[in-house]
Amino acid sequence: MQRRKWLIFLFASLLLIGMFLSGCQSGKNGKRETVWRQSGGWPKPPLFQGNNFANGGVGAAYPFVFEGLFQNVRFTDKQYFRLAESLEHQGNKTIVKIKSGVKWNDGEPFTSKDVWAYYTLNNGAEVTKYLESIEAVDDLTIAFNWRDPSPAEHMKQLFIGQDGHGTIPYHLYHKYVDKAAELLKKAKPFTEPNKEGPFGLEIKDEVREAMDENWRDFLKAGPDFPVGTGPFIVKKVTASDMLLEKNPNYWNVENIHFDKITIKNPGPDPSAGFALVRSGNVDWFDGTPPRDIIESILKLNKDIAHYKMLDPASVGMVFNLDRPPFDNKDFRKAIVYALDRKKIREIGNYYGQESDVSMAGMPQSEFDNWITPEIRDQMEKFTHNPEKAAEILTNLGWTKGSNGIWRDPEGKVHEFIIGVNGGWQNGPIPGQVAAEQLTEFGLPTKLIAVDGTVYFDNAAKDKGKYDMSMDWVDVSWGFMFPWNSMRNYYWWGLGQMGHLPRYESGEKQNRLNLHLPGPDGKVIDIDQMLRDIPYMNSVEEQKEALSKLAWITNENAMGMVLFQNVTGAWANLKTVTGWPRVDEIEKYNRDMPVTTVPEDLQQVADLNQGFSGITPFVEGRYAPK
C-alpha cells in the first residue's frame, strides 16, 4: 500500500512538472496561466538589485522590464516606437511626444521628467555630446536642443534611439538627479574647438569628483527589484531562477500573450543551455553552436527550429603597429595572405562568412550598402595565398632556412604572440588555429589566453604584450551605420590594442594622429573625417567618406577579419506561435539558413533579444499554443 501511494505521489508530481515545462500553470483562481521559458544570467543574490546601472545590471530581465523612447534593431537599424508617440525635427530642435498613460510598474506615471532625469544623471550617454540641453516642455513633450552645428537628421534619430530612457525613474532617484543637475550648472562651456562633453560642458576638478561621488551613491540606491515601464515585473530572483509576471499597467498589455516569464540560469557551461533546448524545456534560446551540435539537437527534438542570422561583428585580430615587424604594412599583408580563413571559419563558426579584405572597418555584410562600386573594385582582394605571402617576405629581405623557418633581414628568428581573452568563447579556438597555421608557414607563433580582467590592459599601449590581439573586429555595437564600427577601431578599444598613434600634447592631445593616402592618393586626416561624418546631411556624401576609410583600412592591413560571425535563435514550434518564415521550415528541415530577403531578415533579426529587445512580444507576434 505504501509503495502504491508513493507511485501515485510520484506520478502526480511528474504531471505537475510536465505542466510547468509545457508552459502552462494554474493560477490562483484555477485560470490557466501561460508561461514563456528561456535561459539567461544575472548577478546572483544578494548582489542582485533593481538598479540597471549597478555592476552586472539586472541581467536577463532587462528587455522585459525596461524600454526606451524607441527600440533600435541593431542589425537593420529599424526603429520601433516604444514610449514615444512621435518624433519631429525642427531645425536644431527635435521634439518627441511621449505616449499618454504610460506608467512605471510601481504605478507612478512616466513623464518627460523621467527622460530629462535619464540624461541629467546619465550624462555620459553619447547623444549629450551633441546637445545644448534637454528640456521637459510639458509632461508628455521632451525637446532635444542640438548644439550648432547639429548632426544630420538621420544621425539624430540613431543617437536618440539607442538609449534606454525608461531606466531612471525620477520619483525614485530624484535626490541624485537633482544633485547632478546642480553640478552641471557649475560646469563651464568649452572654449576650445573640437572639445566634447555633455551639453558642451567641460566637467573637471571638484565638479567631476562630486559628480563621480554622486554617481557611486546612485549605484548603491537601487530598489530590490527593477522598476521599469516594460511588459513584465520581476517577482522573484534566486541563483538559478528568475520569475517575472505580466505588468497589468503596460501601455500595450493587450498584445502581451504570456502571463509569466521563467528564466533559467544554466551557468557558465554553454552545453547546459543547449541541453535545455534539446529537451524542449525552453521556448527560445540564443546562440549557434558548432554544426554537429545543431544537427544533433534538430535530430533529437523534432519540435525545435534554428534560425541563423548574420551578426554585425567579425572574429579577428588587430596588429600591434608599434612592434616590428608589424610596423611594416607589407609584412602585415603577408600575414593576411598566409592564413587559411576557410579552415579557421569551419572550426570557429562553420556558418560564418569569410572575407576577401584584411579588415575594412565595417562588417562585410555592409559593403554593398556603404562602399561605392568604384572603390570596392580598387580594394586589394586578400585570399589564402601562401606563395604571395612568401613573395612579399622575400621582397622585404626575409629568408627561409632549411628548417622552414623565416628569418628577418638581420637573420633573426621571431616568435610571435597572439593574445586572446580566455573567457571569450568565440576567440581561443580560431586563435589557436591561426597560430598553428603561421607556425606551419614558417613564422613561429603561439597563442596566449589570459583572463579578461588583464587581457585588454596587456594589449593596450602602455604594455603592448602581443603582436596580434584578438577581439570582435569590424563590429558595429549599438546601431549599424558603419561610422559606428569605424570609430570602434580608430577611436576606441580596438585602436588602443592596435597602438594607433595619438597626439601627445597640444589642443589635439589624445586625439588620433593618423594621416594616410586614400584611393585617389590624397592624404586623409582620419580623425577629422570621422568627426565630420555625423554632420554630413547627404547619405551619399557619408557613403563616399566611409568608402575611403574602408579602402585605407584594408590597404594598410590594420588587422585581419577571420570570419563574420553568424549567430542564431532556437524556437520551440510546439509551445509558441509567431515564428518567422513558417512556410519554409519543412523545406529546410528546421535548420533555417541566413536570409537576404529584407522582410524576412527583419523578422529574423527581431528574434534576437540582443538585437531588438523583446520586439515580438510588444508587437503581439508571440503567443502560446
Side-chain angles (χ1 to χ4, degrees):
M1 180 64 72
Q2 287 296 109
R3 176 181 175 86
R4 184 179 178 186
K5 287 181 178 179
W6 183 85
L7 288 173
I8 293 172
F9 172 79
L10 178 62
F11 177 79
S13 299
L14 290 172
L15 182 62
L16 287 171
I17 293 172
M19 288 177 65
F20 169 78
L21 294 178
S22 68
C24 299
Q25 296 178 348
S26 293
K28 295 178 181 177
N29 299 318
K31 177 180 175 289
R32 172 173 165 164
E33 292 181 323
T34 53
V35 182
W36 169 274
R37 305 157 304 155
Q38 68 173 65
S39 70
W42 52 85
K44 292 182 180 180
L47 297 178
F48 186 89
Q49 61 142 305
N51 188 334
N52 178 63
F53 293 90
N55 188 29
V58 299
Y62 181 90
F64 295 98
V65 177
F66 293 122
E67 297 177 294
L69 294 170
F70 308 91
Q71 174 63 58
N72 188 73
V73 180
R74 176 179 164 218
F75 189 76
T76 64
D77 275 352
K78 179 180 176 66
Q79 285 189 349
Y80 292 93
F81 279 70
R82 287 292 179 262
L83 299 174
E85 184 74 43
S86 66
L87 175 145
E88 183 182 359
H89 300 297
Q90 302 175 358
N92 275 16
K93 188 185 293 284
T94 296
I95 302 296
V96 176
K97 293 287 187 179
I98 295 171
K99 284 184 170 70
S100 165
V102 176
K103 293 183 178 180
W104 296 97
N105 61 36
D106 62 2
E108 291 292 319
F110 176 84
T111 72
S112 60
K113 191 69 174 282
D114 295 303
V115 180
W116 172 83
Y118 173 84
Y119 286 116
T120 299
L121 186 55
N122 181 37
N123 52 65
E126 180 177 28
V127 71
T128 64
K129 294 189 301 184
Y130 301 91
L131 292 173
E132 189 74 36
S133 64
I134 184 164
E135 176 188 0
V137 179
D138 58 43
D139 282 353
L140 299 180
T141 307
I142 192 83
F144 293 84
N145 300 311
W146 302 93
R147 296 173 66 184
D148 189 21
S150 66
E153 286 189 359
H154 60 283
M155 296 301 300
K156 294 174 182 176
Q157 193 145 346
L158 284 175
F159 287 141
I160 296 172
Q162 66 181 327
D163 291 328
H165 307 91
T167 51
I168 300 182
Y170 179 73
H171 66 280
L172 292 182
Y173 298 113
H174 58 87
K175 171 183 175 181
Y176 310 100
V177 176
D178 291 344
K179 186 170 183 179
E182 288 301 315
L183 290 168
L184 284 171
K185 291 177 182 177
K186 296 180 180 180
K188 304 296 183 184
F190 277 113
T191 55
E192 302 99 329
N194 298 315
K195 293 291 186 179
E196 295 176 343
F199 309 110
L201 300 173
E202 184 176 20
I203 303 174
K204 60 181 183 179
D205 304 333
E206 293 181 4
V207 175
R208 168 54 62 197
E209 291 176 11
M211 292 197 76
D212 290 345
E213 182 181 0
N214 184 51
W215 180 259
R216 288 191 295 270
D217 291 342
F218 158 68
L219 296 182
K220 295 181 286 188
D224 290 340
F225 293 137
V227 175
T229 63
F232 291 91
I233 303 172
V234 177
K235 290 294 186 179
K236 181 181 179 182
V237 180
T238 69
S240 60
D241 296 272
M242 183 181 286
L243 174 66
L244 295 81
E245 294 181 358
K246 182 157 63 174
N247 178 4
N249 294 321
Y250 186 55
W251 58 267
N252 203 23
V253 69
E254 66 275 7
N255 269 358
I256 308 302
H257 303 305
F258 290 87
D259 299 308
K260 293 183 178 180
I261 305 286
T262 61
I263 307 176
K264 282 278 185 186
N265 189 339
D269 184 1
S271 63
F274 291 116
L276 291 172
V277 177
R278 185 167 49 247
S279 62
N281 287 338
V282 288
D283 300 305
W284 171 93
F285 187 80
D286 174 52
T288 295
R291 180 173 62 161
D292 58 337
I293 296 179
I294 290 180
E295 292 173 350
S296 171
I297 292 174
L298 293 173
K299 182 179 180 179
L300 291 171
N301 191 330
K302 305 295 184 183
D303 296 320
I304 300 294
H306 183 254
Y307 291 86
K308 302 183 197 71
M309 63 193 80
L310 271 175
D311 190 357
S314 299
V315 173
M317 51 195 180
V318 295
F319 300 138
N320 184 342
L321 274 58
D322 269 351
R323 285 174 70 131
F326 286 87
D327 57 348
N328 185 294
K329 175 180 75 173
D330 291 328
F331 179 84
R332 299 194 297 267
K333 287 187 175 184
I335 293 290
V336 180
Y337 279 116
L339 288 173
D340 186 346
R341 286 186 273 194
K342 180 175 185 293
K343 290 184 178 178
I344 295 173
R345 186 265 305 162
E346 287 176 342
I347 295 173
N349 184 311
Y350 181 82
Y351 302 98
Q353 308 223 341
E354 296 157 34
S355 184
D356 64 357
V357 299
S358 57
M359 196 172 82
M362 69 176 75
Q364 176 153 320
S365 55
E366 293 300 291
F367 286 5
D368 290 345
N369 297 328
W370 290 102
I371 301 179
T372 65
E374 296 77 19
I375 290 182
R376 181 74 173 102
D377 289 343
Q378 296 177 54
M379 293 173 70
E380 183 170 354
K381 305 299 188 292
F382 290 88
T383 56
H384 178 225
N385 191 337
E387 293 78 17
K388 177 79 170 176
E391 178 185 347
I392 292 173
L393 290 180
T394 301
N395 291 338
L396 290 173
W398 288 60
T399 56
K400 198 171 190 179
S402 58
N403 60 356
I405 305 299
W406 287 95
R407 292 171 172 79
D408 70 14
E410 283 71 45
K412 178 183 176 182
V413 172
H414 293 257
E415 185 175 82
F416 300 123
I417 297 174
I418 299 175
V420 68
N421 175 3
W424 179 36
Q425 294 180 9
N426 302 75
I429 292 177
Q432 182 59 40
V433 177
E436 292 170 358
Q437 288 186 1
L438 288 175
T439 300
E440 184 178 352
F441 174 71
L443 295 172
T445 304
K446 64 180 180 180
L447 180 79
I448 294 182
V450 299
D451 189 85
T453 57
V454 298
Y455 169 65
F456 299 102
D457 187 47
N458 284 350
K461 190 89 174 170
D462 290 343
K463 293 186 178 179
K465 290 188 174 183
Y466 313 123
D467 300 284
M468 297 161 270
S469 298
M470 293 196 65
D471 203 344
W472 294 112
V473 303
D474 286 356
V475 55
S476 218
W477 304 121
F479 51 81
M480 198 64 191
F481 177 54
W483 173 73
N484 204 20
S485 51
M486 286 287 182
R487 62 188 181 149
N488 186 46
Y489 174 66
Y490 284 108
W491 282 350
W492 297 344
L494 284 177
Q496 294 175 18
M497 295 162 72
H499 294 223
L500 297 184
R502 295 183 176 275
Y503 291 99
E504 295 182 0
S505 61
E507 67 175 27
K508 293 185 178 182
Q509 187 174 2
N510 295 325
R511 281 178 51 173
L512 181 69
N513 181 13
L514 194 58
H515 303 74
L516 293 168
D520 57 2
K522 295 180 180 178
V523 174
I524 292 174
D525 180 340
I526 294 177
D527 184 82
Q528 191 58 53
M529 180 170 278
L530 285 169
R531 292 174 185 276
D532 291 342
I533 286 174
Y535 299 95
M536 296 176 180
N537 287 307
S538 163
V539 172
E540 288 305 311
E541 187 181 3
Q542 290 180 324
K543 186 173 182 178
E544 187 69 26
L546 290 165
S547 297
K548 291 177 180 177
L549 290 176
W551 185 92
I552 289 171
T553 311
N554 180 63
E555 176 63 23
N556 289 276
M558 304 288 198
M560 183 174 182
V561 171
L562 298 177
F563 52 82
Q564 184 171 347
N565 195 49
V566 165
T567 185
W570 295 87
N572 193 325
L573 306 174
K574 182 179 181 180
T575 57
V576 174
T577 63
W579 306 112
R581 305 177 66 188
V582 289
D583 56 332
E584 300 177 272
I585 286 177
E586 284 191 28
K587 174 183 175 181
Y588 293 109
N589 196 25
R590 297 169 289 112
D591 190 11
M592 308 299 285
V594 173
T595 181
T596 56
V597 178
E599 183 178 352
D600 289 342
L601 190 153
Q602 182 64 56
Q603 295 282 316
V604 172
D606 286 351
L607 296 183
N608 188 302
Q609 290 182 11
F611 288 0
S612 61
I614 57 166
T615 289
F617 281 91
V618 181
E619 299 288 306
R621 299 177 209 162
Y622 289 158
K625 275 193 175 180

